[in-house]
Amino acid sequence: MRVLLVEDDPRMAATAAQFLRNAGFAVDVAPDGATALRESAINPYDAAVLDLGLPDLDGLEVCRRLRARSTPLRILMATARDAVEDRIAGLDTGADDYIVKPYALGELVARLRALLRRPAESLPAVLRVADLALDTAARVATRGTRVITLTTKEFAVLEVLMRHPGEVVTRERISEHAWDQNYDPFSNVIDVYIGRLRRKIDFPGEAPLVETVRGAGYRLGASEPASGPSAGKRR
Ligand code: CA
């Protein structure tokens, strides 16, 4: 999942960004409102952490303009401890939740995870495709009873696929949600990660779940419905 961190304090931004990356998020940092609006128009972020006090635009104004675009972006507003009015205003302008500064980084991750599960399809904490399960809160993957150990990046790539079971997911889409601005579109890094995931998820003798769709991208669990032997579409 890809996050835009809007924070003008460079030290706080660097610390939070690193923590989020370690937790498996792809993170871009915007030091002001104008950058936030520009970057979010280009990149399909899953969530934004929006500081209220920014050097140019007010965080509330940024929130208002983001909401006016009707993107499915989740917005977590970072507000000062005592400013109840700010929290109310933030929620009124369309923020999905707020977090009080200074926040514990663990709480920031938990709030983001909760936000990204929420609305739209109200995704459960555990995503399932056939007998593959991904616990996005505990960050554990299992296939049947087998526990799959994933690196942070492998987890991020798998999460993108598992949010779209049975659909062709393009490399572009994977890169947009699992990589930050430093992604090199000419590299084969996504194919490398898919290869690693396939080796970990599809053991010999197991029904293959990770499918390559030539010229298009990848598909996870093409043969849904997952239960029962009626899955005749498997290729
Ligand atoms: Ca600030």
Side-chain angles (χ1 to χ4, degrees), residues 10-188:
R11 221 180 38 168
M12 194 182 291
T15 309
Q18 191 53 52
F19 194 88
L20 289 172
R21 287 187 186 114
N22 291 344
F25 292 96
V27 183
D28 296 321
V29 176
D32 54 57
T35 309
L37 290 169
R38 194 177 61 240
E39 290 303 318
S40 58
I42 302 168
N43 304 307
Y45 294 106
D46 300 290
V49 181
L50 188 54
D51 185 22
L52 207 56
L54 294 168
D56 53 351
L57 293 163
D58 181 51
L60 290 174
E61 183 56 29
V62 176
C63 185
R64 207 171 282 125
R65 293 195 199 178
L66 286 173
R67 273 296 167 252
R69 287 184 193 156
S70 72
T71 51
L73 179 78
R74 307 269 184 267
I75 299 175
L76 181 62
M77 191 78 89
T79 68
R81 180 168 297 284
D82 302 321
V84 179
E85 301 83 6
D86 286 348
R87 288 177 222 162
I88 295 167
L91 294 171
D92 275 349
T93 53
D96 296 287
D97 197 3
Y98 62 83
I99 188 167
V100 175
K101 286 178 96 173
Y103 45 75
L105 291 167
E107 187 189 357
L108 178 63
V109 168
R111 293 262 185 163
L112 278 174
R113 283 270 164 217
L115 264 193
L116 290 168
R117 281 200 298 274
R118 228 201 247 171
E121 334 85 280
S122 81
L123 286 165
V126 181
L127 304 174
R128 291 180 197 282
V129 175
D131 57 348
L132 179 65
L134 185 70
D135 186 329
T136 58
R139 310 211 322 133
V140 173
T142 51
R143 176 141 195 207
T145 55
R146 178 162 64 82
V147 175
I148 303 170
T149 306
L150 298 172
T151 67
T152 302
K153 206 60 166 183
E154 289 166 355
F155 180 92
V157 173
L158 182 58
E159 184 173 3
V160 176
L161 291 173
M162 290 199 72
R163 280 173 178 258
H164 305 278
E167 291 174 34
V168 176
V169 182
T170 62
R171 285 179 184 76
E172 186 185 16
R173 187 161 195 173
I174 295 171
S175 72
E176 283 172 351
H177 292 278
W179 267 265
D180 59 24
Q181 286 166 330
N182 299 314
Y183 173 72
D184 172 7
F186 299 106
S187 82
N188 68 341

